Amino acid sequence: MSLDSYRKGCKVVLLADRGFVQTETMTLVRTFGWHYRIRIKSNTWLWHSAKGWSQPKAFHLKPGEALCWHNVKLHKGEWYGPVHVIFGRNNVNGEFWAVVSDEPTHLQTFAEYGLRFDIEEAFLDDQSGGWHLQSSQLRSVCVLSRLCFILALATLYVSAQGLEVVQSGKRRWVDPHWFRGNSYFRIGLEWIRTALLEGWRLIRLVAFFSNSDPEPAMASRPQHRQRSYRLEFQFCSFSYSPD
């Protein structure tokens, strides 16, 4: 699919961790007409018209507090910018976040960046909990690309099988937890493995009719309640700089 087709009616936002805060990457993303939300390290140098050069670690924010800087420079020496940054300390676990964006930042920026963690759920499925992709030890880009394509199709089928198992009320046949703790991929994979031995029925059609989750996963009930009823960030200390 061409880049032009992405631009039509679709906003593309790159979400990346601290290892991807290279100016070359950020420039390339903007060349495509895309946007970015990239987490930066606490020792990253930032220039602000009112503060000069400083680092995020110099700001001692309380849990739940957030601070926005707009139109700042990134990195000393060959600086990059202007960019927009938001700092904050998570109200749930106290973790410090600093995210750089090509668009003006606000509290919603944290929510946008937080979508990146959705991919974490797939890492275990791709590796030790599922396909063991790392065991292939492939070095050829073309060969690895073909393998990933095959695994993507297989993942789609296995996940659809897991969804069917949950919707049919048979989850605990392969997942003994009182509430769903495994991914739909894992549930589907266990069902398929057992089906090959016990002759259980497998789906013949892969179809997803809704984006709603019939049984959201929970690591534990206390953790689920904590995340459900506590805000991660609040307007406790919010600074807007139009400079």
Side-chain angles (χ1 to χ4, degrees), residues 2 12 20 83 96-97 99-101 113 123 185 187 203 210 239:
S2 67
V12 179
F20 294 87
V83 296
F96 181 79
W97 281 25
V99 177
V100 61
S101 168
Y113 175 78
F123 287 162
F185 170 91
I187 294 171
I203 61 173
S210 172
S239 176

Side-chain angles (χ1 to χ4, degrees), residues 11-27:
K11 181 177 180 179
V12 179
V13 181
L14 172 69
L15 307 176
D17 204 354
R18 288 165 285 193
F20 294 87
V21 65
Q22 294 96 358
T23 57
E24 296 85 355
T25 301
M26 299 161 75
T27 301

Side-chain angles (χ1 to χ4, degrees), residues 27-144:
T27 301
L28 181 62
V29 169
R30 295 301 299 133
T31 300
F32 290 161
W34 300 353
H35 304 278
Y36 56 80
R37 311 285 186 267
I38 304 177
R39 191 172 180 183
I40 60 177
K41 297 180 180 180
S42 60
N43 61 354
T44 301
W45 284 103
L46 301 169
W47 184 89
H48 186 276
S49 59
K51 295 285 187 179
W53 288 103
S54 58
Q55 297 173 301
K57 64 182 180 181
F59 298 94
H60 303 289
L61 301 176
K62 297 179 181 179
E65 291 185 338
L67 173 68
C68 281
W69 277 8
H70 293 168
N71 298 314
V72 302
K73 298 176 182 178
L74 186 66
H75 301 313
K76 275 187 175 181
E78 295 184 6
W79 60 268
Y80 179 86
V83 296
H84 312 278
V85 182
I86 182 170
F87 320 101
R89 189 166 295 282
N90 192 297
N91 195 37
V92 174
N93 56 22
E95 184 177 3
F96 181 79
W97 281 25
V99 177
V100 61
S101 168
D102 66 300
E103 299 179 299
T105 52
H106 40 72
L107 288 184
Q108 185 62 27
T109 303
F110 280 142
E112 294 169 351
Y113 175 78
L115 295 175
R116 188 193 69 81
F117 296 107
D118 289 348
I119 67 173
E120 302 286 347
E121 301 173 0
F123 287 162
L124 183 63
D125 297 338
D126 288 336
Q127 299 181 50
S128 61
W131 301 133
H132 295 274
L133 181 60
Q134 75 282 4
S135 300
S136 68
Q137 298 184 357
L138 294 175
R139 294 295 181 266
S140 170
V141 175
C142 292
V143 174
L144 185 59

Side-chain angles (χ1 to χ4, degrees), residues 187-204:
I187 294 171
L189 188 61
E190 292 299 329
W191 182 275
I192 292 172
R193 286 172 174 170
T194 307
L196 296 177
L197 298 175
E198 302 294 338
W200 292 355
R201 185 175 180 178
L202 298 175
I203 61 173
R204 297 185 179 182

Side-chain angles (χ1 to χ4, degrees), residues 226-240:
Q226 183 185 53
R227 289 193 174 274
S228 298
Y229 298 106
R230 294 184 62 187
L231 297 176
E232 292 185 331
F233 296 98
Q234 302 176 10
F235 284 96
C236 297
S237 175
F238 188 82
S239 176
Y240 174 88

